[in-house]
Structures are given as structure tokens and as C-alpha cells.
Amino acid sequence: MSDLLVVGGGVVGLLSAWSLAREGCRVTLVERGATGRESSWAGGGIVSPLYPWRYSSAVANLAHWSQDFYPALGQQLLEATGIDPEVHVTGLYWLDLEDQSEALAWARANGRPLDEVDISAVHDAVPALGPGFQRAIHMPGVANVRNPRLARSLREALLRMPAVELREDCEVLGFIQEQGAVRGVRTAQGELRSETTVLAAGAWSGELLASLGLTLPVVPVKGQMILYKCAEHFLSSMVLAKGRYAIPRRDGHILIGSTLEHAGFDKTPTEDALASLRASAEELLPALAGQAPVLHWAGLRPGSPQGIPFIGPVPEYPGLWLNTGHYRNGLVLAPASCRLLVDLLQRREPIIEAQPYAPEGRLVDTPLV
């Protein structure tokens, strides 16, 4: 029996296991496929909500803590594994926002470095940017993380920790219940028992909780993206306009995203989305016109009400904890979410007020029939 069992091998699950193991816990992580291959692989990796001023303080508080922590996390993982998650500080320009004044007011109220800049200065700083944009605001310290490399480095870090067992290709079929408490999971490979089970299965978390008669309002929300390969210094900063963004990687890859679709668990890329994303790419960066993307993919975000994740114990089932429902912000919220989870499990003062994320009162009890 392990001290803790983590269900789900995305960045939230991997980082939960890593954080708990660093606290001295014995941890088993269970993933139905390969770790880091679902939403964590599919996202863009911007270390900021796309429009932070449009979210509640619950999301902002997690985001701010994580943004400050990411550089140290990237360095720790590089030193531990030799795999660089590439926390890349480029800054972010928002173009032609309808709510620009609200964004600037939010920044002043929260002490965030967000300023209005002349559009000519944007073109000087980002020569690849297309014409026709009128207004811009800029946050200089925003980074992006190369999320597939982040997942790989976390996996490698776990493999090097003697107190961690990693079980991939091991589908969870349900929970072990004893005297009203959860004591592990049933899998295709047999039972895995634990006093504490953390459910961090992203868009699939709701299906697993349904087996206990609980309705978790976390649903799959499909997002499609495309990738281009350019010269290393083609794009100097992240840019965002009309709900679409361009993210530069250090090696010249440029990500363009993303769609927002309610299509169940269907992850099939579509031609309509490809055409729409290419049009956005060419409007933002005209040099991409006529250039074929090198990759087009889709992933499933764990959509939740107001994008507020569920972090903490499930009161109806002692022994069961949640760290899920991060919607569009899983990568930026993951470090703070996992630190908050550890603080609560270790019964110490949490990094931020925990109540907004508590599952209690946010789940619906639906008796099984």
C-alpha cells in the first residue's frame, strides 16, 4: 500500500506526485495511457490566463503564485533530469481589445505590470506582426513553457525517485470503497490500495467520480492548434488578437491556437478548424501565408464553472481528494494548485485561501440507480 495514490498523469497529476514525494510521501501514480499525452501535451503553455482580468480572484491568486514559481521549477527539473522545460520569457502583447480599459484597471488594482503601448512600438518590437492593428497593451514578464518537455521532465524526475511508482497503460475502472471511505482504485491490472487517493484525471475526472454517485461539473472542451517552423528569432514575443494567439518557442517553432469546441471526447482535428487557424496565423504573422503548418492537433480541456479548479477533500468519501478542473489554465495554475494540495494534505497553512477551490458544496450527489 502506498501512502498516496495519484490518478492521472498530466502535468497536474505528475506535479502532484512530484510535490508529495519531495515531502517524503510514498506515491503511486496511475495513468491509463502514457503520461503527459492529453491536455498537457496539447496546450500552448502560456504562463498566464489568456485574459487574466476576466477571471475571478480564485483563478488570479493561483496564477500569480505559479508565475512567480515557474522559473525556479524549470531550473529544478533541468538540474534533476537534464530535460529543460524551456520556461521562455517573451512578454505578451494583446491587440485591439474591446475591454482594454478594464484590463488596465485590473492591472493597477492588482499591481501587475501591464501598460498601454503605441502600435508603432509594437511593430518595432515584433517586426513579424501584421498590419491593421490599432491598439495594444503589453505585459513584459509573461513566459511560456514548452509543455511536452515539462511533462517529460516531470516523468523523468519521478522515475528517479525511489519512493515513487509510475504505472502507465493502467486504466482505472473504479474506486475501492470500505465503510464509506475510498481506499484506492480498481484497475485493469488489479487493485491498488491507498489511504489517500488524489483524482487528477482532467477531463475524465467527472466520469470516474460518477461511479461514486457524484456529479463533478468538469466536461471535455476541445481545442485545436497548429504549429509552424520558422527561423529562431522570427517572432520575439507572444501576441494575441481576436481570441487567437501566436507563441514562439526558442527553436523557431510557432504555435497558433486555439479553438473552443464542445464535442464530447472527440479529439479529431477538422479541416474547418485548420482553415480558421491558418487564417488567424496569417493575419497575425503575414510571413506565414502560403506556408503549410508542420502539425495540427486537438486536445480536451477539463472545463469547469468559471474555470475554478476543484482542490481538496471530497467530504462524502473520506480518503478521496481532487486536483482537477483547471479548464484553459492547467499549465499556469498547476504549480500553485499542487502546492495548495500538499499544504492541505500536510495540514499546514496553505499558500492562499483554500475555500474557493473546496469540492464541498460544489459537487452534486446523484444516487446510483
Coordinates of all heavy atoms in Angstrom, one line a residue, residues 244-297:
R244 N -7.2 34.6 -30.6 CA -6.2 33.7 -31.1 C -4.8 34.2 -30.8 O -4.6 35.5 -30.7 CB -6.3 33.6 -32.7 CG -7.6 32.9 -33.1 CD -7.5 31.4 -32.9 NE -8.8 30.8 -33.1 CZ -9.4 30.4 -34.2 NH1 -8.8 30.7 -35.4 NH2 -10.5 29.8 -34.3
Y245 N -3.8 33.3 -30.6 CA -2.5 33.7 -30.1 C -1.4 33.0 -30.9 O -1.6 32.0 -31.6 CB -2.3 33.4 -28.7 CG -2.7 32.0 -28.3 CD1 -1.8 30.9 -28.5 CD2 -3.9 31.7 -27.6 CE1 -2.2 29.6 -28.2 CE2 -4.2 30.4 -27.3 CZ -3.4 29.4 -27.5 OH -3.7 28.1 -27.2
A246 N -0.3 33.6 -30.9 CA 1.0 33.1 -31.5 C 2.0 33.0 -30.4 O 2.3 34.0 -29.7 CB 1.5 33.9 -32.7
I247 N 2.6 31.8 -30.3 CA 3.6 31.6 -29.2 C 4.9 31.1 -29.8 O 4.9 30.1 -30.5 CB 3.1 30.5 -28.2 CG1 1.7 30.8 -27.7 CG2 4.1 30.2 -27.1 CD1 1.1 29.6 -26.9
P248 N 6.0 31.9 -29.6 CA 7.3 31.4 -30.1 C 8.0 30.5 -29.2 O 8.1 30.7 -28.0 CB 8.0 32.7 -30.3 CG 7.5 33.6 -29.2 CD 6.1 33.2 -29.0
R249 N 8.6 29.4 -29.7 CA 9.5 28.6 -29.0 C 10.9 29.0 -29.3 O 11.2 29.7 -30.3 CB 9.3 27.1 -29.3 CG 7.9 26.5 -29.1 CD 7.5 26.7 -27.6 NE 6.4 25.8 -27.3 CZ 5.5 26.0 -26.4 NH1 5.5 27.1 -25.7 NH2 4.5 25.1 -26.2
R250 N 11.8 28.6 -28.5 CA 13.2 29.0 -28.6 C 13.8 28.6 -30.0 O 14.7 29.2 -30.5 CB 14.1 28.5 -27.5 CG 13.8 29.2 -26.2 CD 14.7 28.6 -25.0 NE 14.4 29.3 -23.8 CZ 14.8 28.9 -22.6 NH1 15.5 27.7 -22.5 NH2 14.6 29.5 -21.5
D251 N 13.4 27.4 -30.5 CA 14.0 26.9 -31.7 C 13.3 27.3 -33.0 O 13.6 26.8 -34.1 CB 14.0 25.3 -31.6 CG 12.6 24.7 -31.6 OD1 11.6 25.5 -31.6 OD2 12.5 23.5 -31.5
G252 N 12.4 28.3 -32.9 CA 11.7 28.8 -34.0 C 10.3 28.3 -34.3 O 9.7 28.7 -35.3
H253 N 9.9 27.2 -33.6 CA 8.5 26.8 -33.8 C 7.6 27.8 -33.3 O 7.8 28.5 -32.3 CB 8.3 25.5 -33.0 CG 8.8 24.3 -33.7 ND1 10.0 23.7 -33.4 CD2 8.3 23.6 -34.8 CE1 10.2 22.6 -34.2 NE2 9.2 22.5 -35.1
I254 N 6.4 28.0 -34.0 CA 5.4 29.0 -33.6 C 4.1 28.2 -33.5 O 3.6 27.6 -34.4 CB 5.3 30.0 -34.7 CG1 6.6 30.7 -35.0 CG2 4.2 31.1 -34.3 CD1 7.2 31.5 -33.9
L255 N 3.5 28.3 -32.3 CA 2.2 27.7 -32.1 C 1.1 28.7 -32.3 O 1.2 29.9 -31.9 CB 2.0 27.2 -30.6 CG 2.8 25.9 -30.3 CD1 4.2 26.1 -30.0 CD2 2.1 25.2 -29.0
I256 N 0.0 28.3 -33.0 CA -1.2 29.1 -33.2 C -2.4 28.4 -32.6 O -2.6 27.3 -32.9 CB -1.4 29.4 -34.7 CG1 -0.1 30.0 -35.4 CG2 -2.6 30.3 -34.9 CD1 0.2 31.4 -34.9
G257 N -3.1 29.1 -31.8 CA -4.3 28.5 -31.2 C -5.3 29.5 -30.7 O -5.0 30.7 -30.8
S258 N -6.4 29.1 -30.3 CA -6.9 27.7 -30.4 C -8.4 27.8 -30.5 O -9.0 28.9 -30.3 CB -6.5 26.9 -29.2 OG -7.1 27.4 -28.0
T259 N -9.0 26.7 -30.9 CA -10.5 26.7 -31.0 C -11.0 26.3 -29.6 O -10.3 25.9 -28.7 CB -10.9 25.6 -32.0 OG1 -10.6 24.3 -31.5 CG2 -10.3 25.9 -33.4
L260 N -12.3 26.5 -29.5 CA -13.1 26.2 -28.3 C -14.4 25.5 -28.7 O -15.3 26.1 -29.2 CB -13.4 27.5 -27.5 CG -13.7 27.4 -26.0 CD1 -12.6 26.9 -25.2 CD2 -14.2 28.8 -25.5
E261 N -14.4 24.2 -28.5 CA -15.5 23.4 -29.0 C -16.0 22.4 -28.0 O -15.3 21.8 -27.2 CB -15.0 22.6 -30.2 CG -14.3 23.4 -31.3 CD -13.5 22.5 -32.3 OE1 -14.2 21.6 -32.9 OE2 -12.3 22.7 -32.4
H262 N -17.3 22.2 -28.0 CA -18.0 21.2 -27.1 C -18.4 20.1 -28.0 O -19.4 20.1 -28.7 CB -19.2 21.8 -26.4 CG -18.8 22.9 -25.4 ND1 -18.5 22.6 -24.1 CD2 -18.6 24.2 -25.5 CE1 -18.2 23.7 -23.4 NE2 -18.2 24.7 -24.3
A263 N -17.5 19.1 -28.0 CA -17.7 17.9 -28.9 C -17.5 16.6 -28.2 O -17.0 15.6 -28.7 CB -16.7 18.0 -30.1
G264 N -17.8 16.6 -26.9 CA -17.6 15.4 -26.1 C -16.1 15.0 -26.0 O -15.3 15.9 -25.9
F265 N -15.8 13.7 -26.1 CA -14.5 13.3 -26.0 C -13.8 13.1 -27.4 O -12.8 12.4 -27.5 CB -14.4 12.0 -25.2 CG -14.6 12.2 -23.7 CD1 -15.9 12.1 -23.2 CD2 -13.5 12.5 -22.9 CE1 -16.1 12.3 -21.8 CE2 -13.7 12.7 -21.6 CZ -15.0 12.7 -21.0
D266 N -14.4 13.7 -28.4 CA -13.9 13.6 -29.8 C -12.6 14.5 -29.9 O -12.8 15.7 -29.7 CB -14.9 14.0 -30.8 CG -14.4 14.0 -32.2 OD1 -13.3 13.3 -32.5 OD2 -15.0 14.6 -33.1
K267 N -11.5 13.9 -30.2 CA -10.3 14.7 -30.4 C -9.8 14.8 -31.9 O -8.7 15.1 -32.2 CB -9.1 14.1 -29.6 CG -9.3 14.2 -28.1 CD -8.0 13.8 -27.4 CE -7.7 12.4 -27.6 NZ -6.4 12.0 -27.0
T268 N -10.7 14.5 -32.8 CA -10.4 14.5 -34.2 C -10.1 15.9 -34.7 O -11.0 16.8 -34.6 CB -11.5 13.9 -35.1 OG1 -11.8 12.6 -34.5 CG2 -11.0 13.7 -36.5
P269 N -8.9 16.2 -35.3 CA -8.7 17.5 -35.9 C -9.6 17.7 -37.1 O -9.9 16.7 -37.9 CB -7.2 17.5 -36.3 CG -6.6 16.4 -35.5 CD -7.7 15.4 -35.3
T270 N -10.1 18.9 -37.4 CA -11.0 19.1 -38.5 C -10.4 20.1 -39.5 O -9.6 21.0 -39.2 CB -12.3 19.6 -38.0 OG1 -12.2 20.9 -37.4 CG2 -13.0 18.7 -36.9
E271 N -10.9 20.0 -40.7 CA -10.5 20.9 -41.8 C -10.9 22.3 -41.6 O -10.2 23.3 -41.9 CB -10.9 20.4 -43.2 CG -10.2 19.1 -43.6 CD -8.7 19.3 -43.8 OE1 -8.3 20.4 -44.3 OE2 -8.0 18.4 -43.4
D272 N -12.2 22.4 -41.0 CA -12.7 23.8 -40.8 C -11.8 24.5 -39.7 O -11.5 25.7 -39.9 CB -14.1 23.7 -40.2 CG -15.1 23.4 -41.3 OD1 -14.8 23.4 -42.5 OD2 -16.3 23.1 -41.0
A273 N -11.4 23.8 -38.7 CA -10.5 24.4 -37.7 C -9.2 24.8 -38.3 O -8.6 25.8 -38.0 CB -10.4 23.5 -36.5
L274 N -8.7 23.9 -39.1 CA -7.4 24.1 -39.7 C -7.4 25.4 -40.6 O -6.5 26.3 -40.5 CB -7.0 22.9 -40.6 CG -5.7 23.1 -41.4 CD1 -4.5 23.3 -40.5 CD2 -5.5 21.9 -42.3
A275 N -8.5 25.6 -41.4 CA -8.6 26.8 -42.2 C -8.7 28.0 -41.3 O -8.1 29.1 -41.6 CB -9.8 26.6 -43.1
S276 N -9.5 27.9 -40.3 CA -9.7 29.1 -39.4 C -8.4 29.5 -38.7 O -8.0 30.6 -38.6 CB -10.8 28.8 -38.4 OG -10.9 29.8 -37.4
L277 N -7.6 28.5 -38.2 CA -6.4 28.7 -37.5 C -5.3 29.3 -38.5 O -4.6 30.2 -38.1 CB -5.9 27.4 -36.8 CG -6.7 27.0 -35.6 CD1 -6.3 25.5 -35.3 CD2 -6.4 27.9 -34.4
R278 N -5.3 28.8 -39.7 CA -4.4 29.3 -40.7 C -4.7 30.8 -41.0 O -3.8 31.6 -41.2 CB -4.4 28.4 -41.9 CG -3.8 27.1 -41.8 CD -3.6 26.3 -43.1 NE -2.5 26.9 -43.9 CZ -2.0 26.4 -45.0 NH1 -2.5 25.2 -45.4 NH2 -1.1 27.0 -45.7
A279 N -6.0 31.1 -41.1 CA -6.3 32.5 -41.4 C -5.9 33.4 -40.2 O -5.4 34.5 -40.5 CB -7.8 32.6 -41.6
S280 N -6.0 32.9 -39.0 CA -5.6 33.7 -37.9 C -4.1 33.9 -37.9 O -3.5 35.0 -37.6 CB -6.0 33.0 -36.6 OG -7.4 33.0 -36.4
A281 N -3.4 32.8 -38.2 CA -1.9 32.8 -38.2 C -1.4 33.9 -39.2 O -0.5 34.6 -39.0 CB -1.4 31.4 -38.6
E282 N -2.1 33.9 -40.4 CA -1.6 34.8 -41.5 C -2.0 36.2 -41.2 O -1.3 37.1 -41.7 CB -2.2 34.2 -42.8 CG -1.6 32.9 -43.2 CD -2.3 32.2 -44.4 OE1 -3.1 32.9 -45.1 OE2 -2.0 31.0 -44.6
E283 N -3.1 36.4 -40.5 CA -3.4 37.8 -40.1 C -2.4 38.3 -39.1 O -2.0 39.5 -39.2 CB -4.8 37.8 -39.5 CG -5.3 39.3 -39.2 CD -6.7 39.3 -38.6 OE1 -7.3 38.3 -38.3 OE2 -7.2 40.5 -38.5
L284 N -2.1 37.5 -38.1 CA -1.1 37.9 -37.1 C 0.3 38.0 -37.7 O 1.0 39.0 -37.4 CB -1.1 36.9 -35.9 CG -2.2 37.0 -34.9 CD1 -2.2 35.7 -34.0 CD2 -2.1 38.2 -34.1
L285 N 0.7 37.0 -38.5 CA 2.1 36.9 -39.0 C 2.0 36.7 -40.5 O 2.1 35.5 -40.9 CB 2.8 35.8 -38.3 CG 2.7 35.9 -36.7 CD1 3.3 34.6 -36.1 CD2 3.6 37.0 -36.2
P286 N 1.9 37.7 -41.3 CA 1.7 37.5 -42.8 C 2.8 36.7 -43.4 O 2.5 36.1 -44.5 CB 1.7 39.0 -43.3 CG 1.3 39.8 -42.1 CD 1.9 39.1 -40.9
A287 N 4.0 36.6 -42.9 CA 5.0 35.8 -43.5 C 4.7 34.3 -43.5 O 5.3 33.5 -44.3 CB 6.4 36.0 -42.7
L288 N 3.6 33.9 -42.7 CA 3.2 32.5 -42.7 C 2.3 32.2 -43.9 O 2.0 31.0 -44.1 CB 2.5 32.2 -41.4 CG 3.4 32.3 -40.2 CD1 2.6 31.9 -38.9 CD2 4.6 31.4 -40.2
A289 N 1.8 33.2 -44.6 CA 0.9 33.0 -45.8 C 1.6 32.0 -46.8 O 2.7 32.2 -47.2 CB 0.6 34.3 -46.4
G290 N 0.8 31.0 -47.1 CA 1.3 30.0 -48.1 C 2.2 29.0 -47.5 O 2.6 28.0 -48.2
Q291 N 2.6 29.1 -46.2 CA 3.4 28.1 -45.6 C 2.5 27.1 -44.9 O 1.6 27.4 -44.1 CB 4.3 28.8 -44.5 CG 5.3 27.8 -43.8 CD 6.3 28.5 -42.9 OE1 6.6 29.7 -43.2 NE2 6.7 27.9 -41.9
A292 N 2.8 25.8 -45.1 CA 2.0 24.8 -44.5 C 2.4 24.5 -43.1 O 3.6 24.4 -42.8 CB 2.1 23.5 -45.3
P293 N 1.4 24.4 -42.2 CA 1.8 24.0 -40.8 C 2.5 22.6 -40.8 O 2.2 21.8 -41.6 CB 0.5 24.0 -40.1 CG -0.5 24.8 -40.9 CD 0.0 24.6 -42.3
V294 N 3.4 22.4 -39.8 CA 4.0 21.1 -39.7 C 3.2 20.2 -38.9 O 3.5 19.0 -38.9 CB 5.5 21.3 -39.1 CG1 6.3 22.1 -40.1 CG2 5.4 21.9 -37.7
L295 N 2.2 20.7 -38.1 CA 1.4 19.8 -37.3 C 0.1 20.5 -37.0 O 0.0 21.7 -36.8 CB 2.2 19.5 -36.0 CG 1.7 18.3 -35.1 CD1 1.9 17.0 -35.9 CD2 2.6 18.2 -33.8
H296 N -0.9 19.7 -36.8 CA -2.3 20.1 -36.5 C -2.8 19.1 -35.5 O -2.8 17.9 -35.8 CB -3.1 20.3 -37.7 CG -4.6 20.5 -37.5 ND1 -5.6 20.1 -38.4 CD2 -5.2 21.1 -36.5 CE1 -6.7 20.5 -37.9 NE2 -6.6 21.1 -36.7
W297 N -3.3 19.5 -34.4 CA -3.8 18.5 -33.4 C -4.9 19.1 -32.6 O -5.2 20.3 -32.6 CB -2.6 18.1 -32.5 CG -2.1 19.2 -31.5 CD1 -2.6 19.5 -30.3 CD2 -1.1 20.1 -31.8 NE1 -1.9 20.5 -29.7 CE2 -1.0 20.9 -30.6 CE3 -0.3 20.4 -32.9 CZ2 0.0 22.0 -30.6 CZ3 0.6 21.4 -32.8 CH2 0.8 22.2 -31.7

